[in-house]
Amino acid sequence: VVACAVALAAAGVAAAAAVTHQSSHSLTASQATAGRVTLHKTKLGKVLATSSGRTLYLFMVDKLGRSKCYGQCAGYWPPLMKKGKVTAGAGVKAGLLGTTKRKNGKLQVTYKRHPLYLFKLDTGAGQLKGQRQNFFGGRWFVVSAAGKAIKAAPPNGTTSTGTTTYTEPTNPYP
């Protein structure tokens, strides 16, 4: 009986750990890596995105092409990491693409020297939930094809998919 109880307890702990691991990592490795940077149509116009249409952001605190987003920040704003050769989709200027070395020695994709990030709460193509967020010491904005921050709020309160309502953000971070 004791052996059975121990086995059931161990199985429960393993299941709980698996659920916790899945829910805390909503972005897969392929979603946080890039081989191609594209433009995707949103309510703010065309913005930089991954090949699957996931919106890319810049962090206004980053300086001189270096990321200031690590630890908990990188958990909410996963850096776009280089995967193979990074190429430019239609409308993206290949000459503005580059990389910067993170503290762990891996390469993060940059555009016009701005390190690029995804936002954990954007779950589909064209979503803009990270737009104008003010967390981890600075503001986050989508990026134009010219490599500039687009600072406007999404009009009509929706993303290009029409499924997500934009409201002035409250702090979702612990």
Side-chain angles (χ1 to χ4, degrees):
V1 173
V2 171
C4 184
V6 169
L8 286 173
V13 168
V19 168
T20 300
H21 178 76
Q22 286 176 340
S23 65
S24 67
H25 295 90
S26 63
L27 292 173
T28 66
S30 65
Q31 292 171 316
T33 61
R36 186 171 188 82
V37 174
T38 65
L39 284 179
H40 191 82
K41 185 178 177 185
T42 71
K43 291 284 186 174
L44 293 175
K46 290 185 178 182
V47 301
L48 293 186
T50 64
S51 58
S52 63
R54 294 288 303 273
T55 303
L56 295 171
Y57 297 88
L58 60 77
F59 187 32
M60 295 302 287
V61 174
D62 291 344
K63 299 291 181 214
L64 303 173
R66 297 277 186 206
S67 175
K68 300 286 185 189
C69 182
Y70 289 92
Q72 189 178 27
C73 176
Y76 284 95
W77 299 90
L80 184 66
M81 302 305 293
K82 181 181 178 196
K83 179 180 180 181
K85 182 180 180 193
V86 179
T87 59
V92 175
K93 298 173 183 166
L96 297 182
L97 283 169
T99 58
T100 187
K101 193 176 284 188
R102 292 187 58 81
K103 290 178 183 177
N104 64 5
K106 294 185 179 180
L107 296 178
Q108 180 177 357
V109 178
T110 62
Y111 195 73
K112 198 174 179 183
R113 295 199 48 148
H114 297 291
L116 298 176
Y117 306 86
L118 294 108
F119 183 51
K120 181 179 180 176
L121 299 179
D122 284 347
T123 57
Q127 291 187 340
L128 302 166
K129 292 179 183 177
Q131 177 66 357
R132 295 175 44 147
Q133 295 272 5
N134 187 10
F135 297 112
F136 300 105
R139 289 248 182 217
W140 299 84
F141 297 106
V142 296
V143 186
S144 73
K148 296 184 181 205
I150 299 173
K151 296 184 178 181
N156 302 326
T158 61
T159 66
S160 65
T161 61
T163 59
T164 305
T165 301
Y166 176 89
T167 56
E168 192 61 33
T170 56
N171 189 347
Y173 311 108

